[in-house]
Amino acid sequence: RGHCWRAVTSPSRPAMAARPSFAAPLACAALLLTCGWLPAAQASKQAVTYGSAVKLASAAHNFLLHSHQITYGSGSGQQSVTGTPSDGTADGSDMWMVKPVEGAGAVASGTPLRHGDKFRLMHAATRTWLHSHRFQSPLSGQQEVSAHGGDEASDENDEWMLVLDSKAQWSQDAKVRVQHVKTKAYLSMTNRRFGRPISGQLEVAGLRAHSTDSTWKATEGVYVPLAESGDRDEL
């Protein structure tokens, strides 16, 4: 099927409120990582925590969860989310920041995520949330996954839940599933490829039942540890 795409060069963003003290160091560290200045080996087997910034790879396809300022030409018309090869050509558009859900109360930066924990993923480059809803995905007709909102604009469609086979915490390179809280769909990457202007990128969609396509791994990133109790920042 052919699809019209819309490039967004100057997205409108609401004014940003003052951020907690951890935000600036994390943003700088994420920039260093995406520029190739922090080797992945330095973060080997680290716990995935609230406040961390990570790249998520599909275990089935070895492509990275990605977004960019190109909107869907069908469905919601929101910013598209796709898969890009994890072959060294990836960039900062593959980095996602792990945040608590709204209304979760005080969550300390560096708190590890465990099975059943809810969270949001903010796209570092465009500061939009990983989002899903009942619109159809453009290639497979499953549930659309988009990037939407911003620092001061988030809703329940941005909320996801970690699914593990045990009560263990989420760690780098461990295989996990990510389930959309509201619709129960699993974050998945299909084998359907887009044409221009994002030729070769894979479709990301929500699937009703989990499969190998819905298995993910946190790869390189900035893994924020839990500080001593007196020095903890709250998200």
Side-chain angles (χ1 to χ4, degrees), residues 3 6 25 29-30 37 44 47 52 70 77 80-81 95 101 106 134 184-185 195 201 209 218:
H3 296 276
R6 293 189 293 274
W37 297 337
S44 179
S52 294
I70 298 175
S80 58
V81 174
M95 187 72 74
V101 299
R134 297 292 187 182
K184 309 304 181 186
Q201 295 186 18

Side-chain angles (χ1 to χ4, degrees), residues 193-216:
R193 292 181 183 266
F194 288 104
R196 294 180 181 180
I198 51 174
S199 298
Q201 295 186 18
L202 295 183
E203 179 191 52
V204 172
L207 301 186
R208 300 298 177 202
H210 65 79
S211 67
T212 55
D213 287 339
S214 54
T215 304
W216 298 87

Side-chain angles (χ1 to χ4, degrees), residues 67 172 203 209 228:
S67 191
Q172 183 186 20
E203 179 191 52
E228 297 296 329

Side-chain angles (χ1 to χ4, degrees), residues 7-230:
V8 180
T9 55
S10 300
S12 176
R13 290 278 179 264
M16 290 177 59
R19 311 309 299 164
S21 60
F22 70 88
L26 176 58
C28 292
L31 177 61
L32 290 173
L33 176 67
T34 56
C35 291
W37 297 337
L38 295 179
Q42 292 185 6
S44 179
K45 308 302 180 185
Q46 297 296 308
V48 179
T49 62
Y50 291 105
S52 294
V54 299
K55 295 185 178 185
L56 296 175
S58 165
H61 302 285
N62 201 31
F63 274 45
L64 296 171
L65 187 68
H66 176 91
S67 191
H68 38 225
Q69 292 179 356
I70 298 175
T71 59
Y72 288 121
S74 61
S76 70
Q78 293 174 1
Q79 184 171 305
S80 58
V81 174
T82 63
T84 56
S86 54
D87 57 2
T89 60
D91 56 26
S93 294
D94 308 309
M95 187 72 74
W96 300 83
M97 297 182 288
V98 184
K99 305 277 192 177
V101 299
E102 290 192 319
V107 177
S109 178
T111 301
L113 281 86
R114 298 180 180 276
H115 172 78
D117 284 345
K118 297 177 182 178
F119 61 98
R120 295 176 295 166
L121 291 173
M122 172 171 270
H123 187 236
T126 61
R127 301 198 70 83
T128 52
W129 300 104
L130 186 70
H131 185 92
S132 192
H133 39 215
R134 297 292 187 182
F135 288 97
Q136 284 192 347
S137 62
L139 301 183
S140 64
Q142 302 294 327
Q143 183 168 302
E144 183 187 274
V145 174
S146 64
H148 186 60
D151 289 281
E152 305 303 325
S154 181
D155 61 29
E156 61 186 352
N157 287 322
D158 305 329
E159 296 180 2
W160 302 84
M161 184 176 69
L162 180 65
V163 180
L164 293 170
D165 293 330
S166 68
K167 292 293 184 180
Q169 68 184 27
W170 188 4
S171 61
Q172 183 186 20
D173 292 330
K175 293 181 179 180
V176 303
R177 293 187 293 274
V178 177
Q179 187 175 31
H180 192 239
V181 173
K182 184 176 181 180
T183 65
K184 309 304 181 186
Y186 289 90
L187 181 67
S188 305
M189 190 175 292
T190 76
N191 60 4
R192 305 290 184 90
R193 292 181 183 266
F194 288 104
R196 294 180 181 180
I198 51 174
S199 298
Q201 295 186 18
L202 295 183
E203 179 191 52
V204 172
L207 301 186
R208 300 298 177 202
H210 65 79
S211 67
T212 55
D213 287 339
S214 54
T215 304
W216 298 87
K217 297 187 297 182
T219 59
E220 59 187 306
V222 180
Y223 291 81
V224 176
L226 186 63
E228 297 296 329
S229 59

